[in-house]
Amino acid sequence: MEIRPLGVGEAFAKSLRQTNYVITPADGEPFLLDCGQTAPRALHALGVPLREMGQIVLSHLHADHLGGLEEFGFAGYFSWGWRPKLYLPENLRPYLWDHALSAGMGQRLRAPGGGFFEADLGTYFDVQPLAGREPFRLGSVELQPFPTPHVPGRPSWGFRLRDLATGGVALLTGDTRFHFKNLVDYGAGAQVIFHDCQFTTNGCHIHATLDELLTLPEAWQRRILLVHYGDDWAAFEGRTGWMRFAREGERYRF
């Protein structure tokens, strides 16, 4: 399994792209985990055509994680002639179209046999609802969703990834406040943990802070690659304990 961050930045970063990933199973087709506003441009910069990412897994409903879906949906419908598969926890589906995508994608389209119809989420995506914490497979990678505490009242999910062909295990926390129990429950046996990190609370404590992550024992810190950080990350070099910064475009193999 290869995990390649398309970006490692927070929602407001300008010198960094947003924290989305290309996951390539040892056996099977690559897929995206989240598809934010900067994902299509990041794929282009890496020389990866959009149509090679025919599968997208969604963690939650913030624009830095779903803002690129409109481009994928339109490209599939108007150019490719097929719908990308969209895997999303079922409690995200009621919000995704009405609260995120319908303003730009909801329109009257001409039906093949004449007449018009109103587009909906299924017009553009082959929607694959995920039932709670039930594991599912994409190629040789088994994904285990788990809920994360992020914004109160809105669902958010992280994923444990295990490649059944290689035995490699990785934890991607998604967007989350500090939650040691999730690390214990889902991070056991993981060779690497991609953990979101904000350097200060800025009055909005919806991500794990660096100070909180520094309270973790060394054995946990050594496995953590920090993501979802700000443009001022260089000022924190050497101040992250045993944890390291993940890098955009770098290939991590397990």
Side-chain angles (χ1 to χ4, degrees):
M1 169 174 57
E2 176 185 281
I3 299 176
R4 193 177 192 187
L6 289 177
V8 292
E10 64 176 10
F12 306 114
K14 297 298 181 285
S15 63
L16 301 168
R17 296 187 177 99
Q18 295 157 352
T19 301
N20 311 153
Y21 307 88
V22 174
I23 314 294
T24 305
D27 181 15
E29 299 298 318
F31 60 91
L32 285 180
L33 202 160
D34 284 336
C35 182
Q37 297 155 313
T38 62
R41 186 173 292 272
L43 287 167
H44 177 75
L46 294 176
V48 180
L50 290 189
R51 66 183 301 148
E52 289 187 6
M53 295 292 111
Q55 305 175 103
I56 303 168
V57 180
L58 189 63
S59 71
H60 69 292
L61 301 180
H62 283 158
D64 56 321
H65 296 266
L66 65 78
L69 287 179
E70 181 174 306
E71 183 168 345
F72 272 87
F74 280 154
Y77 186 84
F78 292 108
S79 297
W80 307 337
W82 53 270
R83 298 175 300 161
K85 286 190 175 181
L86 180 61
Y87 296 83
L88 71 163
E90 56 190 2
N91 63 354
L92 299 182
R93 185 168 183 172
Y95 299 99
L96 178 59
W97 181 253
D98 290 342
H99 296 274
L101 296 180
S102 65
M105 303 181 78
Q107 53 189 285
R108 298 184 74 226
L109 298 171
R110 187 177 293 277
F116 292 87
F117 68 97
E118 297 291 336
D120 59 18
L121 186 63
T123 303
Y124 302 106
F125 297 100
D126 180 1
V127 180
Q128 305 288 317
L130 305 176
R133 307 179 197 219
E134 285 295 315
F136 65 103
R137 281 185 62 176
L138 293 176
S140 58
V141 171
E142 180 184 77
L143 294 89
Q144 166 77 68
F146 59 92
T148 64
H150 182 35
V151 175
R154 287 291 182 267
S156 185
W157 295 80
F159 296 89
R160 172 187 169 92
L161 277 59
R162 181 168 66 104
D163 196 304
L164 302 177
T166 67
V169 177
L171 187 73
L172 282 69
T173 65
D175 283 11
T176 182
R177 299 194 297 276
F178 184 71
H179 197 276
F180 185 57
K181 187 175 187 301
N182 269 350
L183 289 181
V184 172
D185 289 347
Y186 299 102
Q191 288 113 314
V192 67
I193 299 167
F194 290 85
H195 205 302
D196 64 328
C197 173
Q198 63 183 65
F199 300 131
T200 60
T201 63
N202 295 322
C204 185
H205 193 175
I206 59 175
H207 296 277
T209 66
L210 178 58
D211 286 343
E212 289 172 325
L213 292 171
L214 284 169
T215 67
L216 291 170
E218 178 184 334
W220 284 100
Q221 290 190 35
R222 283 186 177 274
R223 292 186 287 155
I224 288 178
L225 290 172
L226 300 173
V227 293
H228 210 285
Y229 48 81
D231 290 322
D232 56 343
W233 66 272
F236 293 86
E237 285 272 35
R239 298 165 57 186
T240 60
W242 297 101
M243 298 176 289
R244 296 168 290 143
F245 289 108
R247 306 297 192 193
E248 291 185 359
E250 190 162 330
R251 301 174 187 269
Y252 301 93
R253 295 187 173 95
F254 311 97

